[in-house]
Amino acid sequence: MKVLIDEDRCCGAGNCALAAPEVFDQREEDGIVLLLDPAPGESQRPLVDDAVSRCPAAAISVVE
């Protein structure tokens, strides 16, 4: 699994960081998503899928 983010679409809601804190964080200055782990293990998939579904800006995608 490879996680991609579109920083231009991110609105800084922070749902991703709450759903999968080992994969996502937010920049201090503007709240834009930080990708901590672009290739998380399959054990993280449910959390990443949850983060994708919660993102109000559809800024996160997963590639197999």
Side-chain angles (χ1 to χ4, degrees):
M1 163 175 58
K2 183 176 179 181
V3 178
L4 304 173
I5 56 171
D6 183 343
E7 289 185 7
D8 293 334
R9 294 185 76 166
C10 179
C11 63
N15 294 338
C16 57
L18 293 173
E22 292 182 16
V23 180
F24 304 100
D25 199 356
Q26 291 179 275
R27 292 193 305 228
E28 291 284 330
E29 62 273 15
D30 57 9
I32 299 299
V33 63
L34 283 174
L35 186 57
L36 302 176
D37 186 355
E42 284 300 314
S43 65
Q44 294 290 318
R45 179 173 288 279
L47 300 177
V48 170
D49 288 344
D50 187 34
V52 170
S53 70
R54 292 174 181 243
C55 180
I60 305 167
S61 57
V62 175
V63 178
E64 300 302 322

